Amino acid sequence: MPRRVLRGVGATFLAAFAITPAHAEMTLDVLYTTPGTFNALQQELAKRFTETHPDIKVKFRNPVAGYEEGAQQILRDQITGSVPDVAFNGINQIGLFVDRGLGAPLDTFVAADGGLDKLGYYSTLAALGQWKGKLYGLPFAVSTPVLYVNADLVKKAGLAPAALPKSWPELVAAGQKIQASAGAGVTGFYYQWDQTGNWLLQSLVTSRAGHMLKADGCTIAFNDDAGMWALKTLESFGKSGMPNFGISQARQSFVAGSLAILVDSTSYVAAADRQIGNRFDFKTVAFPLSTPDGKLPAGGNVAMIFAKDAERRKAAWEYVKFVTGPIGQTLMVNYTGYMPGNEIAVKSPELLGAFYAKNPNHMTSIQQLPVLTDWASFPGGNSLKIIEVIKSHTESLVTGKRPAAEVMPSLVQDVNGLMPKCSG
């Protein structure tokens, strides 16, 4: 069980990440999202942190439902001068905050502690926390899109779970075959299209070697062949008879054994494992890349420092360093299905060294690390509005209300109308 994680970790290893109290007691104000996933983990992290940092307390704000809600809360707090000291934000939101004067650069802190390599961060994942050449966030919980597979239902349909097709038309067809063999009450295939920040729409675009934004960061790029392919793929899901579940409904259907193939974030892997138990054979399979140079957007969140006061920033850095460091990341992996951003945790036998050998469903995400790319962040004051506009258009595709050929021009028009003008 997660609560017993790290009980056997040597005192020497733990002591290496402790600090000697150097200032008066301070209480950090911390905000995180998605309480169903992170409540127990955050409480355990705070407990472990204060055991080695007795002069720094952690007080959590009431967590909010998701990344968009968290961003809205922080932007409101900026107006009243009450931003949290530390916040766990969607990877795609770093620019949203920095462009508004929020967020402390972490480069000086990192350099003082020996650099990213010494601290153990995967360079690919640490780079996700950069904005305009500076580091503002460190990877806390990174997710990749994968297929959740009920191997029992797949085998019943005469298919091999380890050799599922790697194209979406074939996967949809496999889902239909599974559904026909399983009978009433079973859904063969579901694509979790409404993930936060249009993440699984972006996954289709980048898997086709496309981009949501051009290199200038303020011009859309999805109005090309890769973007149209992504929209047509979503349209095909709707035409196949795929229901329009909400995220919770789809996940509950899967763990109940009534959904055979679910395309979702790895964030749910640990919870799915616990909820399924031994009732059926559960496997994860890599998200298909539709072209050899396809990529996948790294989902999940980074830890950012919003504290203004220099002393509070120092204390906040100690907390951020802990939760994104070897101990914090080991706890994070055991409590969730996210990928760790710290290589020391993965390679240390007393931390996660043996974990992945015993938990292959978690390994799928690690194997996708070489193809990760950024989760596009829309610039300007309408960033969150753009996300909602894209979500609305996407829903019209998966529900069969409008075809891709009709959605694309109106989507481009609506998003362009909300984008800021490029400078220079």
Side-chain angles (χ1 to χ4, degrees):
M1 293 293 291
R3 293 185 187 280
R4 293 196 291 271
V5 173
L6 304 183
R7 184 171 289 174
V9 174
T12 300
F13 193 96
L14 284 168
F17 293 91
I19 64 169
T20 301
H23 43 69
E25 183 175 300
M26 182 178 296
T27 299
L28 292 175
D29 183 10
V30 178
L31 174 68
Y32 65 90
T33 71
T34 328
T37 300
F38 290 116
N39 264 347
L41 169 62
Q42 291 285 359
Q43 295 296 330
E44 183 68 13
L45 286 169
K47 175 178 176 291
R48 299 284 182 139
F49 175 74
T50 55
E51 287 173 355
T52 53
H53 300 73
D55 56 332
I56 306 174
K57 307 302 180 184
V58 177
K59 181 180 180 181
F60 294 114
R61 294 189 177 187
N62 291 331
V64 292
Y67 298 145
E68 280 81 39
E69 292 88 346
Q72 290 166 349
Q73 179 64 57
I74 291 170
L75 294 179
R76 287 194 296 267
D77 292 340
Q78 184 182 28
I79 297 172
T80 59
S82 58
V83 294
D85 295 314
V86 175
F88 295 82
N89 306 298
I91 292 173
N92 65 323
Q93 295 174 342
I94 297 172
L96 171 70
F97 296 123
V98 176
D99 287 348
R100 287 163 174 75
L102 292 170
L106 306 180
D107 305 87
T108 302
F109 291 119
V110 170
D113 281 319
L116 291 170
D117 289 344
K118 182 179 179 180
L119 291 169
Y121 299 103
Y122 284 107
S123 58
T124 303
L125 299 182
L128 299 172
Q130 294 182 342
W131 187 255
K132 296 180 179 179
K134 291 185 178 181
L135 183 70
Y136 288 94
L138 282 172
F140 173 67
V142 180
S143 62
T144 65
V146 297
L147 276 59
Y148 287 61
V149 178
N150 182 322
D152 292 351
L153 289 175
V154 171
K155 292 174 184 175
K156 184 178 179 181
L159 302 172
L164 284 173
K166 292 181 170 54
S167 76
W168 295 110
E170 291 174 314
L171 276 170
V172 170
Q176 291 174 324
K177 183 176 182 179
I178 294 167
Q179 190 165 317
S181 69
V186 171
T187 299
F189 173 87
Y190 187 73
Y191 192 90
Q192 199 82 280
W193 66 270
D194 60 342
Q195 279 279 356
T196 179
N198 317 130
W199 185 58
L200 278 172
L201 167 62
Q202 290 198 28
S203 297
L204 287 174
V205 173
T206 59
S207 75
R208 192 74 169 184
H211 303 275
M212 296 300 289
L213 293 169
K214 292 185 178 179
D216 62 18
C218 61
T219 307
I220 65 167
F222 61 80
N223 56 338
D224 61 0
D225 290 343
M228 180 57 81
W229 175 86
L231 297 189
K232 286 183 176 179
T233 299
L234 289 170
E235 179 187 352
S236 73
F237 297 161
K239 286 183 175 179
S240 74
M242 184 185 83
N244 187 22
F245 292 146
I247 289 179
S248 296
Q249 183 182 2
R251 290 176 173 178
Q252 289 306 307
S253 294
F254 182 78
V255 299
S258 58
L259 173 55
I261 301 172
L262 169 66
V263 186
D264 200 347
S265 161
T266 49
S267 63
Y268 187 60
V269 170
D273 263 328
R274 291 193 296 270
Q275 292 167 14
I276 292 167
N278 296 319
R279 290 186 291 109
F280 63 83
D281 186 11
F282 161 44
K283 298 185 182 303
T284 60
V285 175
F287 187 98
L289 299 178
S290 64
T291 185
D293 55 346
K295 300 287 185 181
L296 295 174
N301 59 74
V302 291
M304 295 183 68
I305 295 175
F306 292 102
K308 298 290 186 182
D309 175 77
E311 288 303 310
R312 298 194 73 80
R313 283 187 177 182
K314 289 179 183 178
W317 165 245
E318 293 300 331
Y319 187 62
V320 166
K321 184 172 59 172
F322 176 81
V323 299
T324 63
I327 303 297
Q329 290 294 277
T330 299
L331 284 164
M332 185 280 298
V333 168
N334 278 272
Y335 273 82
T336 73
Y338 286 95
M339 178 196 301
N342 196 286
E343 194 171 8
I344 294 174
V346 174
K347 292 186 174 180
S348 298
E350 66 270 43
L351 297 179
L352 292 172
F355 176 86
Y356 288 104
K358 297 177 181 178
N359 297 275
N361 280 337
H362 289 255
M363 192 63 195
T364 304
S365 187
I366 294 289
Q367 292 168 339
Q368 291 177 318
L369 199 155
V371 298
L372 292 190
T373 188
D374 63 297
W375 180 9
S377 174
F378 291 99
N382 293 317
S383 178
L384 299 177
K385 177 64 175 175
I386 290 172
I387 290 172
E388 286 303 310
V389 165
I390 294 176
K391 180 178 179 180
S392 177
H393 283 291
T394 302
E395 185 167 22
S396 71
L397 288 168
V398 298
T399 56
K401 293 179 180 178
R402 300 170 68 203
E406 181 181 319
V407 167
M408 178 61 90
S410 57
L411 174 60
V412 169
Q413 179 179 347
D414 289 350
V415 174
N416 273 336
L418 294 169
M419 293 281 283
K421 301 297 182 183
C422 287
S423 58

